Amino acid sequence: MLPSIVVSLLLFPSLSVAAAPPPPRRDPLHIPVLRRRHVPRDGDAVLDHYANMAAALRGKYNYGPSPMSRRAQTTDISVTNQGSDTSYFAPVSVGTPPQTFDLVLDTGSSDLWFAATACTTCGQGTPELNPTKSSSLQVGNEHVVMNYGSGTASGTIARDTVSMGPFTVNPQIFVTVDTVSQGLIDGQLAGIMGLAFQGIANTGALPFWQALLNDNSLTNPEFSFFLTRFVNNPNAQTEEPGGVFTLGGTNTTLFQGDIDFQSFTPPPGGGSFWLQTISSVTVNGKKANIGNTNTAAIDTGTTLIGGPTAAVVAIWGAVPNSAPLAGNMAGFFSFPCNTQLTIMISFGGPSWPINVADLNLGPVSNGQCLGGIFDITAGSNVKPQPGQPAWIVGDTFLKNVYTVFRANPPAVGFAQLSSAAGDSGS
């Protein structure tokens, strides 16, 4: 993929580039996060919801036979919790004068996009960027398709001023989306802000956070998350306070003790997810045999935990009276709803407990409940490729820890949540 400066010059040949002194570094920005809530409450609807979620995750990471499972060749802030911990989003502004939209914060992808007024398939009520209302927006001539497993978003590469809190990137390359699959975004969401590395961006552009880092705008080369839990609250509203996204550092009021950083080596070429290696999984104090294929993507844009067949079978095999499900729920397991279940994951350091509320996704039938760890390879003959993770560790785990993503040297760190954040695993 072409470096971003080459892409920029090809797409916008008339743009002159003038050197400017680097802006002063800012203190870390703490951004409250909101979550969206749209998890159905009734049996079959709950199962369909999580079956669709699993299919989306398999597609996002290139597992499964679907023709949409391939990534396209061409492309302190408050967070909102939407959909009973389904996704977490925050406000982002674009253009002159600025238009502000809520975007999913996704460490499992790298593209930035906004639904635009030209969108022909966006749902009714979707907030849309109006390119004609920005005096600084420049639209290129390259069309890009972005695949997220649950669907696609496509549109035209553009560039404009983009801001989040006090941070601004000018110009930032992004996509003005004119076609989006049904259900990829809903409610007040207008797009996705990818927070992984440039090498997996379909546009080839630097993600917003990397542009800030290269511009020396961040105090530290890192960003961090505290994510809230509402999945076990029957009175939760469509949108609830979702936690805090901190750009340029950490929020020390939200964790206690040391941050356990585990470094990783990005694959050749620099294109990478935020990777870790799962060293062990324990179930009620006993170590499960998870094998040796344990590279994991740490993904805030994913709700569940997905792993390879043998490992997932071993985990649920250690839970008395658990059972595999079939049909559109293939890859999932049920377990007795009254089970006192303690699952802990280690990435080479401490073992981190997962709250049973995050593992229990609701009743299936006959006193059995749906488990939050599923087989991502179910129904697929696809083997992990170099740089492709075998595990996807989403919010089912991440709600239980304070998570720090560090760019240099590349690492992901976890820490115990503070009492102000609800404590780890509580």
Side-chain angles (χ1 to χ4, degrees), residues 230-379:
F230 282 86
V231 68
N232 58 339
N233 183 346
N235 298 316
Q237 302 301 305
T238 299
E239 294 174 3
E240 296 281 359
V244 177
F245 171 48
T246 299
L247 264 172
T250 61
N251 186 327
T252 57
T253 69
L254 297 174
F255 69 93
Q256 54 188 312
D258 295 331
I259 300 170
D260 178 62
F261 281 104
Q262 298 291 331
S263 299
F264 68 93
T265 302
S272 180
F273 302 100
W274 292 97
L275 300 175
Q276 290 286 276
T277 299
I278 297 178
S279 57
S280 69
V281 177
T282 60
V283 182
N284 292 339
K286 295 182 179 180
K287 186 174 291 188
N289 182 6
I290 59 171
N292 299 316
T293 307
N294 294 315
T295 300
I298 309 302
D299 185 354
T300 59
T302 289
T303 303
L304 304 175
I305 298 174
T309 302
V312 173
V313 168
I315 290 169
W316 290 113
V319 179
N321 299 311
S322 65
L325 300 180
N328 69 333
M329 297 305 296
F332 280 93
F333 285 74
S334 67
F335 66 99
C337 298
N338 59 1
T339 299
Q340 296 301 308
L341 181 59
T342 301
I343 293 181
M344 305 179 73
I345 300 180
S346 174
F347 299 90
S351 290
W352 304 101
I354 304 175
N355 192 305
V356 68
D358 298 317
L359 292 168
N360 185 337
L361 301 179
V364 178
S365 63
N366 300 322
Q368 293 284 104
C369 283
L370 185 66
I373 299 175
F374 76 102
D375 176 6
I376 195 171
T377 59

Side-chain angles (χ1 to χ4, degrees), residues 21-407:
R25 293 189 177 188
R26 294 184 180 271
D27 291 334
L29 172 65
H30 307 292
I31 306 171
V33 182
L34 294 178
R35 72 170 180 88
R36 61 178 179 177
R37 164 165 193 81
H38 189 62
V39 173
R41 295 297 188 186
D42 299 326
D44 290 344
V46 170
L47 298 185
D48 288 342
H49 172 80
Y50 287 111
N52 291 336
M53 191 176 292
L57 184 56
R58 290 176 180 125
K60 180 177 181 180
Y61 286 92
N62 297 336
Y63 287 101
S66 167
M68 294 173 62
S69 66
R70 216 163 20 113
R71 285 185 178 272
Q73 298 293 316
T74 61
T75 157
D76 227 339
I77 294 174
S78 288
V79 179
T80 302
N81 185 333
Q82 187 185 36
S84 267
D85 313 346
T86 297
S87 60
Y88 297 80
F89 64 80
V92 178
S93 297
V94 57
T96 308
Q99 301 173 54
T100 301
F101 302 96
D102 290 324
L103 305 184
V104 174
L105 302 175
D106 182 15
T107 60
S109 68
S110 297
D111 291 296
L112 172 64
W113 61 268
F114 300 86
T117 50
C119 185
T120 58
T121 59
C122 290
Q124 185 176 7
T126 299
E128 295 173 341
L129 168 66
N130 188 336
T132 66
K133 291 187 176 181
S134 174
S135 62
S136 51
L137 184 140
Q138 294 181 302
V139 180
N141 54 15
E142 183 176 351
H143 196 264
V144 176
V145 178
M146 297 161 290
N147 185 358
Y148 293 90
S150 56
T152 60
S154 62
T156 304
I157 292 180
R159 62 191 297 158
D160 205 340
T161 300
V162 173
S163 299
M164 187 180 228
F167 292 112
T168 296
V169 174
N170 183 21
Q172 170 71 52
I173 293 176
F174 57 91
V175 180
T176 58
V177 163
D178 52 42
T179 305
V180 62
S181 298
Q182 184 177 4
L184 185 58
I185 56 173
D186 58 16
Q188 69 184 65
L189 293 178
I192 294 175
M193 173 177 272
L195 294 169
F197 293 86
Q198 179 184 11
I200 61 172
N202 293 294
T203 58
L206 274 174
F208 181 80
W209 74 270
Q210 274 192 291
L212 292 175
L213 179 65
N214 289 359
D215 208 24
N216 293 315
S217 293
L218 302 179
T219 303
N220 296 301
E222 59 193 25
F223 58 86
S224 51
F225 280 93
F226 154 59
L227 301 176
T228 59
R229 174 186 301 111
F230 282 86
V231 68
N232 58 339
N233 183 346
N235 298 316
Q237 302 301 305
T238 299
E239 294 174 3
E240 296 281 359
V244 177
F245 171 48
T246 299
L247 264 172
T250 61
N251 186 327
T252 57
T253 69
L254 297 174
F255 69 93
Q256 54 188 312
D258 295 331
I259 300 170
D260 178 62
F261 281 104
Q262 298 291 331
S263 299
F264 68 93
T265 302
S272 180
F273 302 100
W274 292 97
L275 300 175
Q276 290 286 276
T277 299
I278 297 178
S279 57
S280 69
V281 177
T282 60
V283 182
N284 292 339
K286 295 182 179 180
K287 186 174 291 188
N289 182 6
I290 59 171
N292 299 316
T293 307
N294 294 315
T295 300
I298 309 302
D299 185 354
T300 59
T302 289
T303 303
L304 304 175
I305 298 174
T309 302
V312 173
V313 168
I315 290 169
W316 290 113
V319 179
N321 299 311
S322 65
L325 300 180
N328 69 333
M329 297 305 296
F332 280 93
F333 285 74
S334 67
F335 66 99
C337 298
N338 59 1
T339 299
Q340 296 301 308
L341 181 59
T342 301
I343 293 181
M344 305 179 73
I345 300 180
S346 174
F347 299 90
S351 290
W352 304 101
I354 304 175
N355 192 305
V356 68
D358 298 317
L359 292 168
N360 185 337
L361 301 179
V364 178
S365 63
N366 300 322
Q368 293 284 104
C369 283
L370 185 66
I373 299 175
F374 76 102
D375 176 6
I376 195 171
T377 59
S380 171
N381 58 5
V382 176
K383 303 296 183 183
Q385 302 300 310
Q388 180 186 5
W391 288 80
I392 316 302
V393 177
D395 303 328
T396 290
F397 173 79
L398 297 174
K399 287 177 283 183
N400 295 274
V401 290
Y402 190 78
T403 308
V404 186
F405 298 85
R406 187 180 68 191

